[in-house]
Amino acid sequence: MGFFDSLKAKVQAVAQKVGDTLSFDRLKEGLAKTRSAVFGRLASLVRGRTLDDALLAELEEALLLADVGVRTTDRILEGLRQRWRRSNTDDPDAVLDAIKAEIAERLLAVGERSSQKGELPKPYVVMIVGVNGVGKTTTVGKLAYNFQREGKRVIIGAADTFRAAANEQLATWAARAGVEIVQQQRGADPAAVAYDTLNAAIARGMDVCLIDTAGRLHTKGGLMQELEKISRVLKKLVPDAPHDVWLVLDATTGQNAIVQAREFAKVAPLSGLIVTKLDGTAKGGVVLAIAEEFQLPVRYIGVGERIDDLHPFDAIAFVEALFAEQPSVPQSVE
Amino acid sequence: MFESLQARLEEAIKRLRGQARITEDNIADALAEVRRALLDADVHVEVVRRFIEDVKAKAIGTEVKGKVLPEQLIVKIIYDELVSIMGTTKSELIHAPAPPTVIMVVGLQGSGKTTFAAKLAALLRKKGQQPLLVAADVYRPAAIEQLKTLASSINVPVFSMDGADPVNIAEESLHYAKKFARTHVIVDTAGRLAIDDTMMREVESIRERIKPQEVLFVCDAMIGQDAVTTARTFDERVGVTGVVLSKLDGDARGGAALSIRLIVGKPIKFVSTGEKLEALETFHPDRIASRILGMGDIVSFVERAQQEFDEAKAAELEEKIRKREFTFEDFLEQLRMLRKMGSIRELLGMLPGMDKALRNVEIDDRAFTKIEAMILSMTPQERRNPRIINGSRRLRIARGSGTTIQDVNRLLKQFEEMQKLMRAVTTGKVKLRNLPAMMGTPWKRS
Ligand SMILES: Nc1nc2c(ncn2[C@@H]2O[C@H](COP(=O)(O)OP(=O)(O)OP(=O)(O)O)[C@@H](O)[C@H]2O)c(=O)[nH]1
Ligand SMILES: Nc1nc2c(ncn2[C@@H]2O[C@H](COP(=O)(O)OP(=O)(O)OP(=O)(O)O)[C@@H](O)[C@H]2O)c(=O)[nH]1
Ligand SMILES: [Mg+2]
Ligand SMILES: [Mg+2]
């Protein structure tokens, strides 16, 4: 059993645990979806080759194309070189194994350090934050559905009181998921909505309280402070709330996601990431840098617009998808 | 993390110092830095490769002459190349020979299509046109409601049909537009992935039926390497006529703009800079070029400085600094030149690295007036030789300029520090980008 396989076994054990809190069938299905194009090309490209400069250059390009970023790519390749020097095997898939392991280990290290809270508090309060249009509201709908299907009683709060029709959008998701919702009119104080929601959650004996927030660019000081206020207000009712604050990242986003994570972490106690839109051709490789630099594990991935298109994060599947085939760039039209 | 390109280049370019000519060999490090900077800005890997080759071809053989530093020269070559790729400023919409002009808005999920559609309608209305917005996104929860809310705030009608499919809705909207004499029809379509064949076929059909003059691809400025794949597929399938770069009010470097421009070859027609409906601007290739390079607007700084500073005077000044003869008279002259060049904030903002530094800084133009008054209250002798300014002279200067003795003390102290720094600059110990630090007083941290 290669190193990568043993890692995989380890991950599957963790995934089982997470799977207990979510529907495991859908997870497998979802992975098939992310994995669809997967590994074939790289595997055949790399098989039987030794780790020379030419191969390193090809691997570098694959990582850069997946938005991993220059710095993290350099670090991964350096790790790979060392791993390679230490190893001595004639397994033709050794390089492939080594690079996958190099990346997956980084992700798993973060995941393990900060995961598993044991029993969830009641109500379990989660705030969803992120820049505009990344998929926060959709994700709240999907999360609500997941928890609801596990038999938990869920309430969601529409703390985006700014965006046109944000209320209607979230109400639709609440209805789809079959959960309760608290909202106020457009323009109301988002912190007040959050407070009301948690209040209702406590009064009605809810298990889970999800707060959707408005999209905001991390460069807007005023809006960022508003987030601080929301988590402050929640504490008035439940001192250790919010129990989780998840930053939603769009997989198509490039290096700016690093700045997003840094800035959001300053105003809210981020505890994890959710990467959306992984059903597209974008790979979301920038989360490697973010996970490591800010010690933020990826909790879930979004792989579509349907209510059941949210899955617990699987580091191995993610790594494999990083190297999935990408159409090559045609000649310039000029 | 994103230091300015210029700053990075300074390190890489040491090998170029003192060389008469740029060669393949001595430019290698610098180009490696340029490559990193472009990749950090999310420019596509392949585009970066081509771009570097172009720049290399242009730079090699260039003479390093006069007072221009090699790094400035390279930045200039890169910048010019970028601007020329980015192309024209032209952002005019293509109009139909007879109204209505039909505009289709397409793109990935959440890129800002609906917001842009409403912004464009607002812009057209302001110009006295009669736009119609069409709600052809029947999938996203409350998409129609969103468009209606936005439209009602700008008094633009929305065409929508319950239970119909997007192709029909778009087609019907044209009849409606003709009947009610609308000048423009703006069709807001659902977000879709380029690899979602069913959904891509849908936009193809819409296009075939309504034959739009414009198909605008809305692209989030924060997008990474995927920009190229996506834009290319949209273009192949629906024939994009122009690009809208959205969410430029953030701090994303927007490298996608370069990639799309180079690979898909379509002009950027608008940039979207906020959630409010007024936040729509025309595209400036030079601004996006500076942004991608992350260097403030160093090029216009250099150019403006060159225009304003008399070459001979500058040389004289340099000489003086070297000989440690820099006086209050020279300082006054400098101050006035600075002023002539534009507001201080604007000017400093053009220096690399200063954009960020200035964010929390309040620049007080009045402080400059104060300094000017103090210098004017000095005797010519004092200006040339500040060391003679003792206590009673200080008091006199303060009274004469309507300032306090503390103000005068501060000025003298700073002037002394400035002289030191200037010497350091000329001997190469301090980099130009630290220059603002020597100007101490005029602004304060807020
Ligand atoms: N393909 C795909 N689309 C997604 C996914 N998640 C969300 N979307 C779509 O992305 C778009 C934006 O989603 P929203 O949930 O409104 O995003 P948001 O972050 O709440 O947006 P704002 O509140 O406006 O900042 C919608 O069209 C969603 O259907 C995903 O995992 N895959
Ligand atoms: N800061 C900022 N936000 C923007 C800009 N343009 C759009 N947005 C926001 O981005 C989010 C998504 O915008 P939409 O117009 O709904 O995007 P869309 O492409 O229509 O989304 P779908 O229809 O779900 O695919 C909303 O929160 C908008 O307010 C912009 O230029 N700057
Ligand atoms: Mg939302
Ligand atoms: Mg829309």
Side-chain angles (χ1 to χ4, degrees):
Chain A
M1 194 158 90
F3 181 74
F4 192 61
D5 289 321
S6 63
L7 201 69
K8 204 168 190 164
K10 202 161 109 193
V11 176
Q12 265 152 8
V14 177
Q16 276 290 1
K17 256 194 268 170
V18 184
D20 292 344
T21 51
L22 279 156
S23 74
F24 203 63
D25 299 343
R26 287 293 309 163
L27 163 68
K28 273 191 253 164
E29 213 178 289
L31 289 184
K33 219 163 164 183
T34 31
R35 219 178 275 169
S36 55
V38 194
F39 234 103
R41 198 179 74 110
L42 188 84
S44 58
L45 189 86
V46 172
R47 173 157 298 139
R49 286 173 67 180
T50 177
L51 194 66
D52 54 11
D53 284 352
L55 184 54
L56 278 168
E58 284 166 48
L59 291 172
E60 182 194 31
E61 175 146 341
L63 289 169
L64 290 174
L65 279 172
D67 287 316
V68 173
V70 183
R71 228 164 64 127
T72 309
T73 295
D74 284 352
R75 274 157 57 186
I76 289 171
L77 293 180
E78 183 48 39
L80 174 64
R81 251 184 243 118
Q82 287 176 14
R83 206 178 271 271
W84 183 252
R85 235 175 273 138
R86 282 196 308 268
S87 81
N88 84 65
T89 160
D90 43 14
D91 180 353
D93 282 332
V95 174
L96 196 63
D97 247 21
I99 187 154
K100 287 198 277 181
E102 180 63 34
I103 300 170
E105 264 198 350
R106 284 157 186 267
L107 282 167
L108 289 171
V110 178
E112 273 177 12
R113 230 166 292 155
S114 49
S115 77
Q116 303 313 311
K117 292 196 161 83
E119 193 138 317
L120 292 180
K122 182 177 171 165
Y124 171 48
V125 184
V126 182
M127 227 168 111
I128 302 296
V129 303
V131 299
N132 305 85
V134 288
K136 295 174 295 297
T137 304
T138 309
T139 301
V140 167
K142 293 169 176 175
L143 280 169
Y145 174 75
N146 275 346
F147 284 120
Q148 196 271 344
R149 274 189 30 149
E150 287 164 27
K152 300 219 163 70
R153 299 188 60 209
V154 184
I155 189 166
I156 58 187
D160 178 356
T161 59
F162 177 78
R163 233 278 305 279
N167 265 334
E168 290 83 345
Q169 186 190 4
L170 194 64
T172 307
W173 280 110
R176 284 182 186 174
V179 303
E180 292 183 40
I181 182 169
V182 171
Q183 20 189 210
Q184 288 180 16
Q185 80 288 5
R186 192 163 173 223
D189 177 9
V193 179
Y195 186 89
D196 280 2
T197 312
L198 186 50
N199 219 356
I202 297 164
R204 299 180 209 169
M206 293 288 162
D207 299 304
V208 179
C209 171
L210 302 171
I211 309 288
D212 183 27
T213 64
R216 67 201 74 221
L217 292 181
H218 50 281
T219 49
K220 315 240 153 127
L223 292 177
M224 294 299 277
Q225 251 141 48
E226 185 185 284
L227 278 187
E228 228 165 11
K229 186 174 163 197
I230 295 176
S231 48
R232 207 165 51 232
V233 159
L234 292 173
K235 283 191 200 320
K236 287 191 190 160
L237 292 170
V238 177
D240 57 348
H243 303 105
D244 272 309
V245 180
W246 289 330
L247 175 69
V248 180
L249 296 173
D250 182 331
T252 51
T253 306
Q255 301 307 300
N256 190 250
I258 298 173
V259 193
Q260 291 171 23
R262 178 176 307 135
E263 295 304 316
F264 274 93
K266 285 181 190 162
V267 293
L270 292 190
S271 56
L273 307 170
I274 295 178
V275 186
T276 59
K277 309 186 194 174
L278 272 171
D279 46 329
T281 39
K283 310 278 196 254
V286 68
V287 301
L288 290 178
I290 296 173
E292 222 175 2
E293 189 169 339
F294 306 105
Q295 291 298 306
L296 285 172
V298 185
R299 294 295 186 201
Y300 298 94
I301 58 168
V303 291
E305 296 180 84
R306 292 188 323 187
I307 202 161
D308 49 6
D309 283 331
L310 185 78
H311 307 291
F313 177 68
D314 174 325
I316 305 285
F318 182 81
V319 173
E320 296 198 334
L322 275 186
F323 293 104
E325 188 156 6
Q326 178 131 27
S328 64
V329 180
Q331 286 312 295
S332 162
V333 290
E334 318 212 355
Chain B
M1 162 151 199
F2 302 128
E3 319 98 288
S4 80
L5 177 61
Q6 176 107 0
R8 288 169 163 203
L9 278 178
E10 278 168 12
E11 229 1 80
I13 224 141
K14 283 196 181 120
R15 296 174 57 194
L16 267 171
R17 286 269 156 78
Q19 307 260 358
R21 223 167 256 289
I22 295 177
T23 66
E24 171 124 29
D25 201 41
N26 61 23
I27 202 182
D29 289 353
L31 288 180
E33 281 306 321
V34 175
R35 175 175 181 268
R36 284 182 84 95
L38 293 175
L39 288 169
D40 274 349
D42 294 319
V43 179
H44 192 272
V45 173
E46 180 59 31
V47 173
V48 172
R49 186 172 12 248
R50 283 191 221 158
F51 185 80
I52 296 285
E53 268 158 29
D54 279 3
V55 169
K56 193 155 108 184
K58 292 218 163 100
I60 286 177
T62 310
E63 270 179 75
V64 183
K65 62 179 175 194
K67 273 186 282 303
V68 183
L69 298 171
E71 60 265 36
Q72 286 174 339
L73 189 68
I74 290 176
V75 168
K76 183 94 167 75
I77 293 173
I78 292 166
Y79 175 84
D80 289 347
E81 183 72 12
L82 265 181
V83 174
S84 87
I85 292 171
M86 289 299 191
T88 59
T89 1
K90 220 174 128 196
S91 65
E92 254 107 85
L93 289 173
I94 302 166
H95 278 92
T101 291
V102 181
I103 300 153
M104 217 172 129
V105 182
V106 301
L108 292 175
Q109 284 93 345
S111 55
K113 296 175 294 300
T114 306
T115 310
F116 167 72
K119 285 177 178 182
L120 184 59
L123 183 75
L124 289 167
R125 240 198 83 101
K126 227 195 272 163
K127 289 185 176 166
Q129 304 288 342
Q130 304 293 321
L132 172 70
L133 282 161
V134 180
D137 175 358
V138 299
Y139 309 101
R140 170 174 165 162
I144 299 171
E145 207 46 52
Q146 183 191 2
L147 191 65
K148 282 185 176 162
T149 309
L150 294 172
S152 78
S153 75
I154 50 171
N155 277 319
V156 170
V158 174
F159 182 86
S160 67
M161 277 163 70
D162 280 346
D165 82 281
V167 184
N168 283 335
I169 296 171
E171 203 169 23
E172 284 303 315
S173 76
L174 291 196
H175 300 310
Y176 179 96
K178 278 176 197 145
K179 192 161 150 205
F180 293 96
R182 307 309 295 182
T183 57
H184 294 75
V185 177
I186 305 169
V187 182
D188 177 34
T189 66
R192 66 201 72 220
L193 296 171
I195 49 162
D196 187 336
D197 196 53
T198 319
M199 288 296 282
M200 290 307 283
R201 236 179 283 154
E202 180 194 281
V203 269
E204 276 173 352
S205 306
I206 296 178
R207 191 203 157 93
E208 268 160 37
R209 295 286 180 83
I210 66 174
K211 307 233 166 348
Q213 278 69 45
E214 292 272 12
V215 177
L216 298 178
F217 174 71
V218 180
C219 181
D220 188 324
M222 297 178 267
I223 196 170
Q225 297 287 318
D226 194 50
V228 165
T229 321
T230 303
R232 202 183 53 224
T233 313
F234 269 92
D235 185 37
E236 279 164 8
R237 300 198 63 164
V238 275
V240 169
T241 58
V243 176
V244 178
L245 209 56
S246 69
K247 307 180 198 171
L248 259 188
D249 44 328
D251 58 3
R253 300 268 294 279
L258 175 63
S259 310
I260 293 178
R261 177 71 209 159
L262 203 68
I263 303 280
V264 189
K266 294 292 147 59
I268 295 170
K269 296 215 170 181
F270 294 98
V271 301
S272 198
T273 55
E275 294 190 76
K276 304 243 169 73
L277 296 187
E278 314 78 78
L280 186 67
E281 294 171 19
T282 50
F283 172 67
H284 294 278
D286 46 344
R287 284 190 205 157
I288 198 83
S290 312
R291 190 179 176 122
I292 291 172
L293 295 178
M295 62 184 193
D297 196 354
I298 182 78
V299 180
S300 9
F301 177 76
V302 170
E303 276 165 5
R304 267 165 93 179
Q306 272 167 353
Q307 274 169 20
E308 294 292 339
F309 277 87
D310 182 321
E311 277 281 333
K313 254 191 197 149
E316 196 182 300
L317 188 67
E318 236 184 80
E319 190 56 28
K320 279 187 168 166
I321 294 169
R322 193 162 300 129
K323 290 191 183 153
R324 306 183 183 196
E325 276 172 9
F326 187 70
T327 68
F328 267 117
E329 267 165 356
D330 302 313
F331 186 37
L332 190 60
E333 203 172 293
Q334 285 250 298
L335 268 184
R336 287 175 171 169
M337 259 196 267
L338 271 173
R339 282 220 152 151
K340 230 169 51 186
M341 285 166 62
S343 99
I344 311 285
R345 173 182 277 277
E346 195 190 331
L347 197 74
L348 291 177
M350 286 192 276
L351 288 170
M354 281 308 289
D355 257 1
K356 263 226 178 82
L358 283 183
R359 225 181 261 160
N360 305 318
V361 161
E362 216 181 288
I363 294 183
D364 190 357
D365 261 298
R366 276 168 316 178
F368 280 87
T369 317
K370 230 174 174 180
I371 292 173
E372 192 174 353
M374 286 188 274
I375 300 177
L376 287 174
S377 301
M378 296 174 188
T379 65
Q381 228 186 350
E382 285 165 350
R383 285 183 217 165
R384 276 191 295 267
N385 187 7
R387 234 160 290 157
I388 63 170
I389 306 179
N390 57 18
S392 61
R393 284 176 194 256
R394 286 176 199 214
L395 197 62
R396 194 203 74 242
I397 293 168
R399 284 212 187 107
S401 56
T403 58
T404 64
I405 198 145
Q406 285 85 357
D407 286 329
V408 179
N409 286 340
R410 204 175 310 133
L411 175 65
L412 289 170
K413 184 140 191 299
Q414 268 161 3
F415 183 75
E416 200 183 308
E417 272 163 22
M418 183 164 153
Q419 276 183 316
K420 268 190 230 155
L421 253 147
M422 285 219 152
R423 261 172 257 137
V425 170
T426 49
T427 52
K429 264 183 255 142
V430 175
K431 302 283 153 64
L432 181 68
R433 85 195 115 96
N434 295 334
L435 202 71
M438 76 191 200
M439 301 174 94
T441 32
W443 59 83
K444 51 185 184 294
R445 291 247 159 225
S446 58

